[in-house]
Amino acid sequence: MTGLRPGRRDVLSGLCLLAATAVGAVRFGGSAAAREPAAAGPGPETGSAPRELRGMWIASVENIDWPAASGLSADRLRADFTDLLDHARTIGLNAVFVQVRPTADAFWPSPFEPWSQWLTGVQGVDPGWDPLDFMVEAAHRRGLAFHAWFNPYRVSTQPDPGRLAADHPARLNPHWAVAYDGRLYYDPGLPEVRRFVQRAMMDAVTRYELDGVHFDDYFYPYPVAGQDFPDGATFAEHGAGFADRAAWRRHNVDLLVAEMSDLVRAARPEAAFGISPFGVWRNARSDPDGSDTAALQSYDALHADTLHWIRSGWLDYVAPQLYWPIGFAAADYATLAPWWAARTAGTDTQLWIGQAVSRVGSPTPAGWQDPQELSRHLTLNAGLPQIGGNILFSANHVRADRLGAVSLLVADHWARPALTPVLPRLSAAPGPPAPLVSVTGSGPDGLPLVFRGAADSTPFQYAVYGPAAPGPTSEADAAGPVAVVPGPVGRFTLADVGEAWRYAVTAVDRAGRESPATPVVRLSV
């Protein structure tokens, strides 16, 4: 019957599963029952596909993204959040970075800090449900990694401690907080403050199934001309042995980062710990290791020595905010992306780039008026193998898609889905066993399959590769999966693409590790 297109019954009767063995042995069968693949090492498909972090920030402070406003009903908040997640899936994202502790308050029932004002409208008011638990579960149900975004030291976007909840730690310990530039901050130089904010953040890390712990660029606040951050008394008490206050401040931030790295890895070893700093560490005119830029320097202004953190191995990833267009003289994206790539090369710190979707359409710099600007960033990234992904700021701007810039980026670069990168420190651990694949009948659109974990495993996702001609290898694999299906039970319909085809299905755990393949093959008859 070669050369004739078989009917649906022939598709089912011709289905066979190819065991993932080193010699590519074939087992035939006409049944639609699940087949147990042979126990073996990774098959030819496993590990060949490119990995890429495709993320999106969801900011809660000042109701930037979610919640859309304070005091909304639980039903509205759940619906709005799942809409953001569904849009993330639609455009090919695989991770979300959600701000859960924006101003020393919490989006979960914390024993350390009050409920967030951005959630209920009044700080300390119990919303009657657990948003963080809901958000983590909703993201995982869609196959999205959930990174909890914490702001360590910001207390309030206004300067009056009296407007905080009555039981707020900054009111109970008034010497912990200082006012600066119309806002309140915890004093990073106080050891008791550092220990407290670590305990407050680690409460969420230990209680929820987080895939990552994320800090942004805020440590010491951005400086204001003519105003110094009021920590002179703290420096006098705790700054002995440091040449100046700037070195002492950097040491304080270093301690926070190093200790949080240890705490996170001890409590949740497979969670990624990373930071998204301001995009310029230092300018070359200030430091020979700096970039050829003329911008604010996070090392000096925010006391954030990101290069030291990378070289010390404290970060699983760094995601510098490169919020400038290509050709912008003071901070050219085409200068900074290679600079960060060179500084992370040879380390175990992965490099993901923060992309400013929020600036698309801005009148200055002129590059932001070009719909292709963001897509060009990813084209440039493709020539820098150290860059393993991008994070888009932020959710509402992504959904607004001004000038069609996000649509162009997706069409140009994200035609296929992608699995998240595996952290180098986790890559040696075994992945899940190869999945079980069942045929569930037939349908007008193709062959419906169900994927399940084998040997009591509960895969986070399944990756589907193909189609290709039947054989021991699949040339399509190197281009990446054609689908990534959420687990633990996955459902997918294979299109009927001709007389003979070969797909491969792998199970993926939450760390991104992939199983040996269970190929699904139909032979010509």
Side-chain angles (χ1 to χ4, degrees):
M1 296 176 62
T2 301
L4 300 177
R5 185 179 181 86
R8 184 63 53 193
R9 185 178 302 276
D10 298 314
V11 171
L12 292 175
S13 63
L15 182 73
C16 64
L17 298 178
L18 184 63
T21 67
V23 296
V26 178
R27 292 189 301 180
F28 294 90
S31 162
R35 304 302 207 285
E36 178 79 52
E45 295 81 6
T46 304
S48 61
R51 301 296 188 105
E52 182 182 16
L53 189 285
R54 300 175 184 173
M56 176 176 75
W57 279 292
I58 301 178
S60 60
V61 68
E62 297 181 336
N63 300 120
I64 290 174
D65 294 311
W66 183 90
S70 299
L72 299 178
S73 70
D75 287 345
R76 168 69 186 278
L77 289 169
R78 292 187 187 102
D80 286 353
F81 190 78
T82 56
D83 283 349
L84 292 177
L85 297 183
D86 289 340
H87 187 69
R89 283 277 299 176
T90 297
I91 64 173
L93 302 184
N94 52 29
V96 288
F97 295 73
V98 184
Q99 194 173 34
V100 300
R101 185 183 178 270
T103 44
D105 50 13
F107 275 70
W108 73 96
S110 168
F112 297 96
E113 293 175 313
W115 284 102
S116 179
Q117 71 179 90
W118 312 112
L119 180 65
T120 63
V122 180
Q123 191 176 67
V125 172
D126 188 341
W129 61 297
D130 186 341
L132 182 52
D133 182 68
F134 170 80
M135 292 188 292
V136 171
E137 193 277 332
H140 287 171
R141 192 166 63 246
R142 290 161 175 80
L144 295 166
F146 187 97
H147 295 249
W149 168 13
F150 301 90
N151 290 87
Y153 292 125
R154 183 171 59 206
V155 174
S156 181
T157 57
Q158 55 80 38
D160 182 6
R163 292 173 59 186
L164 302 175
D167 61 348
H168 195 289
R171 290 189 68 175
L172 300 179
N173 303 277
H175 64 289
W176 284 8
V178 296
Y180 181 74
D181 190 30
R183 301 183 175 210
L184 281 174
Y185 297 91
Y186 281 133
D187 185 345
L190 292 172
E192 60 268 35
V193 163
R194 188 178 73 254
R195 289 191 293 267
F196 172 79
V197 299
Q198 289 169 345
R199 288 197 299 270
M201 294 184 289
M202 287 303 299
D203 179 63
V205 176
T206 57
R207 291 169 56 189
Y208 298 90
E209 293 292 323
L210 306 180
D211 301 296
V213 174
H214 181 77
F215 293 169
D216 60 20
D217 50 320
Y218 284 92
F219 294 98
Y220 282 86
Y222 279 83
V224 177
Q227 299 182 39
D228 194 15
F229 187 76
D231 60 355
T234 309
F235 177 59
E237 182 178 357
H238 297 284
F242 292 92
D244 54 38
R245 199 184 307 188
W248 169 73
R249 287 174 176 173
R250 281 191 296 275
H251 173 71
N252 295 332
V253 179
D254 288 348
L255 286 176
L256 173 74
V257 173
E259 291 168 0
M260 275 301 293
S261 178
D262 289 342
L263 289 168
V264 171
R265 291 176 183 179
R268 197 165 290 282
E270 296 196 345
F273 175 61
I275 294 175
S276 179
F278 183 77
V280 175
W281 174 73
R282 297 195 93 188
N283 301 312
R285 66 188 180 190
S286 300
D287 192 304
D289 207 16
S291 52
D292 186 14
T293 50
L296 179 140
Q297 305 173 118
S298 61
Y299 175 94
D300 303 278
L302 307 176
H303 310 290
D305 191 357
T306 315
L307 258 59
H308 179 52
W309 309 340
I310 292 169
R311 291 164 177 164
S312 299
W314 298 339
L315 303 183
D316 290 313
Y317 69 87
V318 62
Q321 298 171 24
L322 303 192
Y323 288 180
W324 305 281
I326 294 171
F328 179 59
D332 190 339
Y333 186 94
T335 296
L336 284 164
W339 185 89
W340 283 100
R343 271 53 186 189
T344 53
T347 75
D348 282 346
T349 300
Q350 300 199 34
L351 175 59
W352 308 333
I353 304 297
Q355 301 287 352
V357 179
S358 59
R359 297 191 178 180
V360 172
S362 299
T364 57
W368 290 125
Q369 299 173 47
D370 185 344
Q372 290 282 359
E373 180 64 32
L374 286 176
S375 181
R376 279 199 288 269
H377 290 191
L378 269 65
T379 299
L380 189 152
N381 291 358
L384 299 167
Q386 292 83 6
I387 297 179
N390 298 272
I391 312 175
L392 309 182
F393 186 86
S394 62
N396 277 343
H397 300 287
V398 170
R399 190 162 53 177
D401 193 15
R402 285 192 295 273
L403 305 183
V406 173
S407 294
L408 287 169
L409 180 157
V410 171
D412 291 345
H413 301 281
W414 293 348
R416 284 178 179 254
L419 298 176
T420 57
V422 180
L423 301 181
R425 63 182 175 85
L426 301 178
S427 61
L436 304 174
V437 180
S438 301
V439 182
T440 61
S442 61
D445 299 322
L447 187 67
L449 301 179
V450 174
F451 312 139
R452 289 183 172 85
D456 298 323
S457 65
T458 54
F460 179 55
Q461 298 169 315
Y462 301 90
V464 182
Y465 297 90
T473 61
S474 172
E475 294 179 358
D477 294 338
V482 294
V484 175
V485 181
V489 177
R491 300 182 185 277
F492 182 71
T493 299
L494 291 181
D496 186 5
V497 295
E499 287 189 6
W501 43 245
R502 182 180 196 274
Y503 284 85
V505 183
T506 62
V508 185
D509 65 18
R510 278 181 42 213
R513 294 178 295 246
E514 211 167 354
S515 76
T518 298
V520 181
V521 179
R522 193 188 76 191
L523 301 179
S524 298
V525 294

